[in-house]
Amino acid sequence: MFWNEELETIEENKLRNLQLKLLRDTIGRVYFNVPFYRDRFQQINLKPDDINFVQDINRLPFTTREDILNNYPTGLLAVPRDEMVRVHTSSGTTGKPKAIFFTKNDIDKAADLIARCLVMTGMRKNDVLQNMMTYGLFTGALVMHYGAEKVGVLIVPSGPGNTERQIMLMKDFHTTALHITPSYALYLADYIKTKGIEPAKDLYIKRAYLGAEPYSEETRKKIEEMLSIDVFNSYGLSEMNGPGVAFECEYKKGMHIWEDNFIVEIIDPDTGEVLQDGQKGEMVLTTLQREGMPLIRYRTRDITTIIPERCPCGRTHRRIDRIFGRSDDMFIVKGVNIFPQQIENVLMATKGVAQNYQIVLESLDNMIVKVEIAKDLFDGNVMHLVNLQNKIVESLKKEILVKPKVELLEPGALPFSEGKAKRVIDNRTL
Ligand code: ADP
Ligand code: ZN
């Protein structure tokens, strides 16, 4: 089923023509209304009329996270502040956050993209969505909320936390779908299991939308099995509306990115060179329909690839692969580049490993992987622990090429967050 069949299955050449029209329009608007962009374009002697093909986009300069911060709060607005009806910020762990403004139309467009995503995964008017993302300054919960309302599903705006109450709500309101972070989903699945609740029998959940942080295919499988549901990957970032940028369809093989709203490019993060479909690099996104705060060639720092093949579902918007990590998540141990994702892949594929883990960087060549394991493994037989520990060390070495220290912990020993998980603790002093 489609929310907007005509647009979702639009012929490829028509899609490119539409992109060109929207791109020219966007460039014109920022050139005349945003001094930051006008200056940038003038520096390279570029006029809006110089853009004649979608590919001409690679003549435009990138916009970075620093550009948004330097123009905080209202420096990048393309229409008067009075036209804005909402502002969201992204986490900004230190100092000022990134502020993203929305006009009424922007809110409506973002909701429309979510509606496409939800209907694409089988959601209908009679479904019940428990929205377990944080309501507030973040985009995650509210943008999903407005989109779900458009489809007409019943929303339970529970936010995260208070797991006991979440389960009560699921039972009382017959929740059929969850919107949740992967780390909280793992915790929830485990909680449900330890309470002796059988999801297939005692609950009504059919699907969950997991996003906001990277997770592995193994994590997806684990959650699907533990809760007897389908898990769909959901990608977004505040700078580009929040959720609804790219989403998996029923085939669960990569996320369709809505190309009538975004131009997607993959670049080499070191040189800025545009890479071919299928090559792994940093994703760069340009908004095509934003009124309030259009962004040109925004460097997301997220590492992925564009999947070149057509999807059997009939949608022509290309798919991006699972986010491999953020370029700024990468760390170096003994001279080897490592993404937390690689470690998670190994851990979640290992029998006996529970839900939570943490990577502690002690020095340039010393890292500790702390991992919670199943309770019954602490049964007094030390050999079970030693064997598991060795197995994890060996599998990690195969994947990341360096041998980390591995510590096994009882379930619940590591700090747990209901929002985005903090997986890497950096104790290195430079
Ligand atoms: P912040 O950038 O401060 O974390 P956001 O809430 O905007 O704030 O987070 C967006 C980021 O979250 C993305 O750039 C990406 O790194 C990550 N993210 C979102 N969805 C996914 C997903 N499905 N898989 C992996 N990472 C994701
Ligand atoms: Zn598809």
Side-chain angles (χ1 to χ4, degrees):
M1 260 263 293
F2 298 91
W3 174 251
N4 186 335
E5 184 164 2
E6 201 183 325
L7 263 179
E8 290 173 52
T9 61
I10 180 173
E11 272 174 44
E12 180 134 21
N13 62 338
K14 282 196 188 152
L15 179 56
R16 298 297 157 231
N17 286 340
L18 177 62
Q19 283 190 314
L20 177 61
K21 180 179 158 294
L22 295 168
L23 176 64
R24 285 173 59 101
D25 179 57
T26 301
I27 300 295
R29 280 186 290 116
V30 298
Y31 187 86
F32 292 109
N33 301 314
V34 187
F36 166 82
Y37 278 119
R38 188 169 43 245
D39 289 351
R40 283 278 175 97
F41 295 169
Q42 278 173 348
Q43 276 165 23
I44 54 166
N45 222 343
L46 187 124
K47 301 257 164 21
D49 279 348
D50 297 339
I51 301 293
N52 296 311
F53 302 96
V54 175
Q55 288 81 344
D56 287 341
I57 195 171
N58 65 23
R59 299 175 52 193
L60 301 173
F62 294 115
T63 307
T64 62
R65 164 209 287 242
E66 287 68 35
D67 293 329
I68 298 185
L69 291 173
N70 293 339
N71 286 285
Y72 178 87
T74 51
L76 292 178
L77 303 195
V79 299
R81 223 282 298 132
D82 286 4
E83 298 299 316
M84 303 298 169
V85 298
R86 198 193 294 171
V87 57
H88 277 293
T89 67
S90 75
S91 28
T93 31
T94 53
K96 298 279 191 205
K98 286 165 272 173
I100 311 293
F101 286 83
F102 296 73
T103 64
K104 201 164 182 319
N105 269 335
D106 292 336
I107 296 280
D108 199 55
K109 287 258 159 72
D112 209 69
L113 293 187
I114 293 285
R116 285 187 202 174
C117 299
L118 295 182
V119 170
M120 170 164 81
T121 58
M123 286 284 265
R124 301 292 177 265
K125 214 175 154 325
N126 58 352
D127 274 295
V128 181
L129 175 73
Q130 197 152 322
N131 195 357
M132 296 161 78
M133 294 287 188
T134 308
Y135 277 81
L137 279 169
F138 300 122
T139 45
L142 273 172
V143 171
M144 175 60 75
H145 186 108
Y146 276 58
E149 212 167 72
K150 233 179 196 199
V151 178
V153 309
L154 174 66
I155 304 160
V156 184
S158 61
N162 197 340
T163 308
E164 195 63 41
R165 192 182 57 165
Q166 298 279 6
I167 294 169
M168 181 196 85
L169 296 171
M170 283 174 206
K171 286 184 174 162
D172 293 350
F173 299 124
H174 293 200
T175 299
T176 60
L178 310 178
H179 183 214
I180 185 169
T181 60
S183 40
Y184 191 36
L186 280 168
Y187 178 85
L188 175 77
D190 188 53
Y191 191 94
I192 284 176
K193 196 172 118 197
T194 50
K195 289 278 158 174
I197 298 168
E198 287 184 44
K201 223 172 77 222
D202 306 328
L203 301 173
Y204 307 84
I205 321 170
K206 287 188 270 189
R207 52 185 85 85
Y209 305 114
L210 265 62
E213 58 192 23
Y215 60 107
S216 62
E217 202 54 48
E218 298 299 337
T219 300
R220 181 220 299 265
K221 280 198 206 111
K222 199 160 179 165
I223 297 169
E224 287 191 325
E225 271 162 30
M226 287 174 86
L227 291 176
S228 310
I229 57 170
D230 277 313
V231 165
F232 296 94
N233 199 2
S234 152
Y235 171 82
L237 64 167
S238 331
E239 297 87 319
M240 300 285 139
N241 299 346
V245 175
F247 220 83
E248 279 180 337
C249 65
E250 68 212 83
Y251 290 95
K252 300 197 280 191
K253 287 256 156 61
M255 300 176 277
H256 289 284
I257 179 152
W258 300 119
E259 296 191 77
D260 57 329
N261 279 257
F262 306 99
I263 290 183
V264 55
E265 301 169 88
I266 302 290
I267 63 161
D268 177 325
D270 297 324
T271 63
E273 180 205 350
V274 178
L275 302 177
Q276 301 285 317
D277 284 8
Q279 285 185 290
K280 195 184 267 180
E282 177 181 346
M283 180 160 51
V284 169
L285 295 172
T286 298
T287 63
L288 290 176
Q289 304 215 25
R290 272 266 190 85
E291 276 181 353
M293 196 171 155
L295 292 174
I296 310 295
R297 300 194 89 200
Y298 181 68
R299 292 191 60 159
T300 64
R301 309 208 211 184
D302 291 325
I303 307 288
T304 185
T305 57
I306 295 178
I307 300 173
E309 296 85 34
R310 274 286 173 87
C311 183
C313 76
R315 288 175 184 81
T316 44
H317 301 245
R318 284 173 301 169
R319 288 164 295 163
I320 55 167
D321 207 338
R322 191 171 275 292
I323 305 295
F324 188 70
R326 283 205 201 192
S327 53
D328 43 0
D329 274 352
M330 196 196 75
F331 54 86
I332 299 178
V333 177
K334 292 190 178 157
V336 180
N337 296 355
I338 301 171
F339 282 96
Q341 244 357 63
Q342 296 174 276
I343 296 181
E344 178 174 321
N345 285 343
V346 169
L347 295 179
M348 291 302 152
T350 308
K351 209 164 161 271
V353 166
Q355 279 65 35
N356 210 349
Y357 69 94
Q358 204 172 57
I359 301 158
V360 183
L361 305 177
E362 292 293 3
S363 68
L364 287 178
D365 45 25
N366 187 3
M367 95 187 202
I368 308 173
V369 176
K370 299 185 175 187
V371 53
E372 291 182 10
I373 58 167
K375 228 190 185 81
D376 51 12
L377 282 164
F378 291 96
D379 56 3
N381 187 336
V382 181
M383 276 326 284
H384 287 167
L385 294 178
V386 173
N387 288 342
L388 180 60
Q389 194 175 28
N390 288 340
K391 192 169 157 207
I392 296 175
V393 171
E394 285 313 314
S395 322
L396 281 174
K397 173 142 193 274
K398 240 187 231 155
E399 171 69 31
I400 61 177
L401 310 175
V402 295
K403 216 170 179 168
K405 282 190 194 141
V406 169
E407 270 178 30
L408 305 184
L409 302 166
E410 288 198 43
L414 290 170
F416 154 74
S417 97
E418 286 151 3
K420 291 197 190 221
K422 186 161 172 44
R423 299 296 194 193
V424 181
I425 307 291
D426 194 345
N427 292 333
R428 294 172 298 185
T429 43
L430 294 175

